[in-house]
Amino acid sequence: VETILLAGDMMLGRGIAGLSEKNGVYYPFQKIGQLLRGVDVVFANLEGPVVENPPEFLGDKLQFAFPPRVLEGVTWSKINLVSLANNHVTDRGAEGLQETKNWLDKYQIHYIGNPLYSSQNKANSYFSTEHSVFLAFNRVLPFVHREEEIIREIRAAKIDSPGKFIIVSIHWGEEYQLKSSSSQRELARRMIAAGADIVVGH
């Protein structure tokens, strides 16, 4: 038996970073720590880069960056798989993205997905366990991961891993909207038809 817990966006900068500085790196996870225990795969979306000495983004500038120490809290919380397929993990550019991967490797946190393009035939395109396969895509801007690329990768994962449960994490939608759009629902149907067993939108 394999147990899986799926979470959404995890933003550990700005006010959260300030509270963690004051209350400790475990602060954001303390109230849910018990919920995350004893689960084989805890999967979340890492909504920003992890870099040494992250700058302070003032005012209403929508950019994020997290200090490496936040990953101590992530590790403590048993989150062991994160998606990098989102629109904020490149807020410190390509170098920040690579540094993020280096820090995740150091803390032994698995990561999948690419924020800028489809990951087919590239390292870390998906994560596989004995019973499941995880994929991640970024559709905040539709031209980043095109529909046909997404469908192709899901089909490839289904062929490469017959009998395994296919879980697709997808970063999409309009800010502050409580309902999915017709285009989201149509793409979700296409992903399921291509072989996805679960589509996790965030």
Side-chain angles (χ1 to χ4, degrees):
V1 177
E2 184 173 83
T3 53
I4 297 167
L5 193 149
L6 306 167
D9 301 341
M10 183 167 58
M11 203 291 288
L12 299 169
R14 291 183 148 187
I16 303 298
L19 287 168
S20 297
E21 190 73 37
K22 179 181 177 182
N23 300 297
V25 292
Y26 311 126
Y27 174 77
F29 308 101
Q30 281 177 337
K31 299 291 186 181
I32 58 170
Q34 285 300 114
L35 175 68
L36 306 180
R37 294 288 185 271
V39 181
D40 295 314
V41 180
V42 183
F43 183 23
N45 176 55
L46 184 63
E47 186 77 352
V50 178
V51 294
E52 284 218 66
N53 305 313
E56 286 198 31
F57 297 112
L58 302 176
D60 59 356
K61 195 168 185 181
L62 275 176
Q63 287 190 304
F64 308 144
F66 319 142
R69 63 180 174 275
V70 302
L71 294 181
E72 293 178 30
V74 173
T75 302
W76 175 85
S77 73
K78 304 301 183 185
I79 294 170
N80 52 10
L81 176 63
V82 297
S83 168
L84 301 181
N86 62 67
N87 58 311
H88 280 292
V89 77
T90 53
D91 280 354
R92 300 304 296 155
E95 288 185 7
L97 175 60
Q98 185 56 55
E99 185 178 348
T100 300
K101 293 177 179 179
N102 294 343
W103 283 112
L104 290 169
D105 286 338
K106 183 173 181 180
Y107 279 88
Q108 298 182 316
I109 300 169
H110 301 288
Y111 52 89
I112 57 170
N114 191 295
L116 300 176
Y117 51 81
S118 181
S119 304
Q120 191 175 30
N121 299 323
K122 297 176 179 70
N124 306 114
S125 61
Y126 63 86
F127 177 74
S128 184
T129 67
E130 184 180 353
H131 301 290
S132 306
V133 175
F134 299 80
L135 299 97
F137 302 102
N138 178 15
R139 283 282 293 181
V140 170
L141 298 174
F143 56 79
V144 177
H145 287 173
R146 299 183 187 279
E147 284 197 24
E148 295 310 317
E149 294 175 326
I150 291 171
I151 299 305
R152 189 166 56 242
E153 285 200 37
I154 293 170
R155 285 177 178 155
K158 193 73 172 176
I159 292 168
D160 291 345
S161 306
K164 289 193 178 184
F165 205 69
I166 307 294
I167 300 171
V168 177
S169 165
I170 184 161
H171 195 59
W172 61 0
E174 296 180 38
E175 298 271 5
Y176 308 116
Q177 296 304 303
L178 300 181
K179 293 185 177 180
S180 59
S181 67
S182 59
S183 62
Q184 285 175 278
R185 292 192 294 274
E186 177 57 31
L187 177 53
R189 292 187 189 101
R190 291 193 67 198
M191 289 190 283
I192 291 166
D197 293 294
I198 292 181
V199 176
V200 187
H202 46 85

